[in-house]
Structures are given as structure tokens and as C-alpha cells.
Amino acid sequence: MRLLILFLFSISLAAQPVNPIIGDSSWFYFKKDWPKLGDSEQERIKTHLTFVHQQLSSSGPKSEQGEHLLNALWDYIEAGDFPKYFKHEDARRPCFIDDAGTLCAVGHLIAVSEGRKEAERINRLFRFEYLLKMADEKLKAWQQNSGFSMKELAMIQPAYRPVQRIQMLRSHRVFTDPETNLKGLFSQKDSSVVLKATFNSLSYQNNSPYLVGFKDGGFYVFNAVGKKLSRKKFKRAFVFGDQDSNCLVAIDHKNQLHLFPEDNKKSHRSLKSTSFFYSSENRLLFKQNGLYGAINTAGKIEIPAIYDSICVHPNIINAKLIYRVKDSLWGLRNSKGDIISPLQSQSIVIYKNLFKCSEPGKADYLIGPQGKKYQIPTKLNYSRTADYNSLILEKEGKVGVFSTVNYNWQLAPKYDHIIYNSQIGLYQAEREGKTGFVHPYGSETIPVEFDYVRAHSSFIILKKDGKMGLFNLQGAPLFPVEYDTLSIALWSQNPGQVPLIRTLNNGVFKLRYANGISIPIDENTQDLESIGASHIAVQRSPKGVRPVVFKAGRLVALHPQWVDSVVAVSHASLIYRKGKHYGFYRLNKDALNAKAELLPARFDTIIYNFRNNHDRFLIKEKGLWGMYSLSEDSFIAQPEYERFYPLDLYDIDNWIYFSKGGLWRSLNVDKLNVPMDQKFSDKLTEKFLNQREYLKIKWID
């Protein structure tokens, strides 16, 4: 409802909202005002995408694909390259891929996951269409696998404002003389030649309204329609700027800078005794008399050349912060050149759009773009927060979560410790020895009053005063805190659903649904324990144990026979013990719909961690070693060997060796090779004895 109300106000105050679902709510959220016609288009798009990324990140746990796409969206936001070069009658319109080949936000997510060709296919069909109006089966299938609803993806999709510059670029075109292979420029309106074909190269610079030609060993600069900007011949020419404004920079043979601002109708400006140093988006760093300064895209000196070093840092809302150093001390200026922090820090470290300053003899502190200082904790780690726009900070001995976007406390500093749990989208907080879970925007979902909490994908197990319970992620109790023990007995086949829960109270064992209703069990069943295999548990009774699954509302034994113990190897195999011997349960992939085949308990020993291969087992039968394949129920190496090497199974890669009668032979994957000669066998026997002594293994010989 809040977003809807903001959207309605957005429409009334700014007739061209950036998104049809949430309007300009993002701008209002960060700026506490509605966008005006003069506001930066780049900043509006970046603000919108940052806001939506923040909302989606904090809306609960995501699938693996959803997390991947959120990270890809963040990379796209930070890159800041958005569509703008297109022509449309609407003042603001979605554009899947613009004339310069720039992808929109949703197009970028599709390209990351499905490839650029798929994004180009959608662009051919729905270039200027809103996402909710795109009727396409492949797009729908991608959405269903993305981890987001179509409405959430539509919230991401901005409507962009096309720039008029592209119309100018389209009015003239570079041509090549087929006889000389030289370049020129002609008007598409009347086909007249504006620049004769005398240039070795002639091109528009980065989709800007500048044309740069090269001939006679130098560069010449023109505007978009071929008008010469200077009579000089330069040794280098390039454009710097952002999507709202550009400036052409030309360097003459004396290394002096010449600036041609896009919006400057007057003659160009030259800077004497200057040289180019570095350009970053809408700032040009220059060097003059050995010191550094900065120029903006209007061609004005924003920061005078008085500093020993200087560089540019863009923050997430596209305001530019410049930090500089003089006399080995660092300070900060904002994008207007105003001093935020004087030259007094020994070092400055960037944390997104906050800066950690270290001054001699003082405690470190954080400073924001407006110059406000914030206390810093002993350990600062923004990667533990719900998104990249917040930091865990300390204030007066307590920690909270501080937003680096609107510079206020997301979580008040009242906890002893906070860590973000990305699996459930909540912060685990500790206070005075108690713990709980807190929503990223302040409410305690699980009150910080428990002795123990453990989060799973869709529920939380907790303990207080010796009793245990289970709550959902919204903080509602599924099992009240009244059980002596509570644990997972069987996982559900459906991701996100609460599994079957095992409870023990006053010595009475029960198996329950998520709503607390008991599940009928065999009257002889004493307990049910998870054994690590997915959806399989061990049923324990006076008769012994046996593996079971939960099917059609009841426990179903995979095999009726009771054994002494069971160990899970994989989803398709279990090892059991009956008396003094071991054997296998062999399962189909779908354990819920098939019985287990119980293979005879014939082996003295089974070693099942061989090369992490769940179908290869070292076995010992009647005192001799061999290699067994469970899927084929056959021996790869017959049990006729006295020893094997190496004894440390973690040291095995592709080879294992068996010894009989003092001679060793190797087994590589499934091939048993011929015996080695006596010389090599003696060396391997020595290695075997040394390793057995080192590992203190007495039972292998």
C-alpha cells in the first residue's frame, strides 16, 4: 500500500515516472522529494534500480538463481551504463537494447543467465514494450526459473528518457571512398559531402556529438555535423563524461589540454602548462606544475591543481566524491569541489559511499558525502549485511545496521553482536547472552530472548530455559517452546516445506507434522533418527533398525528386515551391519517409490570414502582386500589381496595398489594392471609399512 500511495503522488507531481509499478517511489525514499525536470537522468535510473535491489534483497530468502541474478543486477547498477540512444515518441519508454547496443536492466539479467542472443531475440520482438505486456513462452519459462515473479521483474524495468543527441548522429554518416579507402562525412538529408574523404580514420567518439578524424599524423576535431572545432592538429583526442554530458579533450604537441564542452557554444578552452593524467566518467584529472586537479564536463576547473595525488570515486547514487592528498595527508571533496574533510587523515578507505578516515592519534571514523562523521566499530564488514548499502556499526558499545544510502540506522545500535543470515534474509542478533532474529528494517521477528536459535530454509529451531520449539520465518510458533528435545526426523520432498519433526517430552517420542499433529508410528518404534541421506531416516525398535521414508501420511520401510545399524553413503546406497558383517541397501534414485534391495551381509569391512566415488568401495572379505562396484554388484578387483596402498584414502587420486605374495599391482579407475617387478614392489612395501606406522593403523595388514 505504501508503494502505491507513493506512486500516485509521483504521477501527480512528475508526469513521467521511471517505473509503471512503483513510479518514482525510489527517488522519494532517498531524497524525500519528487524528481524535477532538471534532475540527472543517470541518477534517476541508478536510484530506482538501487531501491528495487534493496527491496528484493530484503524480501526473504532467494533461490540460488535468484541470488545470482541479484548479484548480476548489482554489477549492472555499479557499471552505470543504461540505454539512452534510441528514438521514441514517448518522453520516457523502456528500451530493451538501445542503438549503441546497451542492454536494459532486465535484458542484462537475461544475457547473464541465457546469453546475449536471447536478449537480442526479445529485443527484436518487444524492444519498447513493458515487461508485463510481453507475451512470450521462452521469456515466461526464464521468469519461472529466475526466482522472481513477473511483477518483481517489471519493478526492475525502468522507462528511459531518450537523448536528442542520437538524432544528430543519424543526420550525418561517415563514408569510405572505394578508390582511396579514405574516410569522409556526408549529410543523409541531402546527400551532400560535408567533409571530403581525406581522413585515414573518421568516427564519432563513444556515441557522443563529437567527430574525430586522423590524417597527416595528427587528429582533427569536429562537431556532429562536421563543423571544425579547432584549426589545430592534435596528437590525441578523446571524450569523457557520463550519459548526461560530455566533453571532448584534445592534447596538442606541447602536451597542453584543449577542452570542448558539449553545452559550451563559445570557443574551446585551453589550459597552459597542463597535461592529461586520468579520466573517470564525468571528471578529468589533470597535472599542472607537478600537482593535480580536476575538471568537470563543462570544462571548468572543479578542484585546483594543488594536490600531490587525486582520484575519483563514484558512489551508488552516482554522486561523485573526490578524495585527495597533500603533504602525505588525505582529505575529501564532493563533486562540487567543496571540502568535506580537511587534509588530516593518514589514510582513507572506501566502504561504498562512506569513507573510513584514520587520523594520527585519533580513533578511526566514517564520513559521508555531506561531511557527517560516524563512529566506527573495531571490525567493520559490510558484506555481512542484507545488501551492499549498509554497514554494521558500533555506537557506545552497541552495534546496529547503518544505511549508506539515506544515512540513518536501519537497525538501532542496541545489540552486542549482529550477523546477517542470507539463507533466511534476517539478522541474528545477540544481547546480554540471549539471541534471536531481527528483520533488516527493525522488527524482532524472533525476540532476542532465546538461549539458542538455528535457522533452516523455512523455519527456525530455538531453545529457552531448557525447552525447545520451532517457529516459521515470520515469527509464528509451529511448535511451542515446551519440548525436551526437538530435531528434524525426515526432510520434505518439496523445498520450502517444513520436514517431519521428532520431539521428545518426558521420555515420550513422537513424530509430528509441521502443524503439530502426531503421525501414527509402529507401537514398537522407540525413535526415528535422520542419517544424512535425503528423505531417509532410521526407525529404531527392540528388533533393531531399518531405513524408512515418509509416504502417503505414514512411515514406509525400504525393506522389512531389521538390522543392527545403518549408515548413508549417498541418495542411492546405504551400508548396514548385521552381526559381525556388512552389506548394502541398493536404492533406486526415487527412494519414495521403490523398495530397497538388501544385498547379503558378506563383508568383514567396507571403506566407502574412496575418491568420493559413491559406487566404488574397498572391501575386505574373509581377511582379503578387493574393490567392489555397487551399481554392477560385481568386483573390480577380487578380494584376494593382503594389503592396499595408500592407507590414507584422502591421498588417493586415480591410483590404488594391491599386494599379493609380496608383489604389487595398480588399479587405475576400472583397470587392474599386471603385477610390478620385485624391485618396485619392495619400494612400495616400504612405503606401505612407513605409512602404517605413521598413521598408527594396526588393523590393516
Side-chain angles (χ1 to χ4, degrees), residues 312-325:
V312 174
H313 166 68
N315 70 19
I316 59 172
I317 308 297
N318 200 40
K320 301 297 185 294
L321 295 175
I322 297 178
Y323 65 99
R324 75 282 194 294
V325 62

Side-chain angles (χ1 to χ4, degrees), residues 344-625:
Q344 56 192 19
S345 299
Q346 288 180 320
S347 67
I348 294 179
V349 179
I350 304 169
Y351 288 94
K352 291 304 173 181
N353 56 331
L354 285 177
F355 299 83
K356 185 181 79 169
C357 301
S358 301
E359 296 184 16
K362 295 183 180 179
D364 293 350
Y365 62 88
L366 289 168
I367 189 166
Q370 306 305 320
K372 187 174 181 180
K373 295 181 180 180
Y374 307 96
Q375 185 178 352
I376 195 170
T378 305
K379 293 182 179 179
L380 178 65
N381 189 346
Y382 65 85
S383 65
R384 288 185 173 183
T385 58
D387 52 46
Y388 296 100
N389 303 326
S390 52
L391 297 167
I392 296 175
L393 296 184
E394 180 181 349
K395 182 179 181 181
E396 298 175 356
K398 298 293 183 180
V399 295
V401 178
F402 188 82
S403 170
T404 63
V405 177
N406 48 18
Y407 309 106
N408 59 19
W409 289 100
Q410 227 170 272
L411 294 184
K414 58 182 180 181
Y415 302 103
D416 300 323
H417 180 70
I418 290 176
I419 186 171
Y420 182 63
N421 188 313
S422 59
Q423 184 182 24
I424 62 173
L426 300 173
Y427 287 99
Q428 183 172 348
E430 295 179 7
R431 182 174 56 216
E432 298 177 358
K434 301 295 183 181
T435 186
F437 283 100
V438 186
H439 190 274
Y441 289 95
S443 60
E444 291 191 359
T445 305
I446 303 295
V448 184
E449 59 185 37
F450 292 92
D451 303 315
Y452 165 88
V453 292
R454 182 177 181 182
H456 295 269
S457 59
S458 58
F459 61 90
I460 298 169
I461 295 175
L462 32 78
K463 187 174 184 179
K464 182 178 180 181
D465 300 330
K467 295 293 184 179
M468 301 185 71
L470 184 143
F471 286 23
N472 65 20
L473 298 185
Q474 289 71 47
L478 302 176
F479 291 76
V481 186
E482 60 183 26
Y483 299 96
D484 297 332
T485 63
L486 184 150
S487 61
I488 299 165
L490 273 170
W491 287 96
S492 169
Q493 278 280 49
N494 299 318
Q497 291 186 358
V498 175
L500 299 183
I501 303 300
R502 168 190 175 275
T503 63
L504 187 65
N505 221 14
N506 300 320
V508 178
F509 156 74
K510 287 188 178 182
L511 189 65
R512 301 170 181 270
Y513 288 109
N515 59 11
I517 298 176
S518 296
I519 297 171
I521 55 177
D522 188 302
E523 62 181 6
N524 293 319
T525 300
Q526 297 173 324
D527 206 347
L528 196 74
E529 299 175 4
S530 173
I531 59 172
S534 177
H535 320 309
I536 302 175
V538 168
Q539 182 183 16
R540 189 177 302 282
S541 82
K543 301 176 185 179
V545 300
R546 62 183 181 182
V548 295
V549 295
F550 188 71
K551 180 180 179 182
R554 63 189 182 91
L555 293 176
V556 178
L558 294 178
H559 194 280
Q561 184 171 333
W562 297 87
V563 297
D564 297 328
S565 64
V566 176
V567 176
V569 177
S570 70
H571 67 278
S573 58
L574 309 171
I575 295 175
Y576 75 91
R577 179 178 63 83
K578 184 73 172 177
K580 294 183 179 180
H581 291 87
Y582 297 87
F584 292 96
Y585 287 98
R586 186 163 57 183
L587 313 177
N588 291 336
K589 289 184 178 180
D590 186 2
L592 288 177
N593 297 311
K595 295 290 185 181
E597 181 183 1
L598 189 70
L599 302 181
R602 56 186 290 191
F603 302 115
D604 307 329
T605 303
I606 297 176
I607 299 177
Y608 60 89
N609 198 29
F610 173 61
R611 289 170 44 201
N612 290 320
N613 189 324
H614 298 309
D615 188 50
R616 297 292 184 266
F617 300 88
L618 278 168
I619 54 89
K620 190 175 187 180
E621 185 178 21
K622 297 179 181 180
L624 297 174
W625 292 98

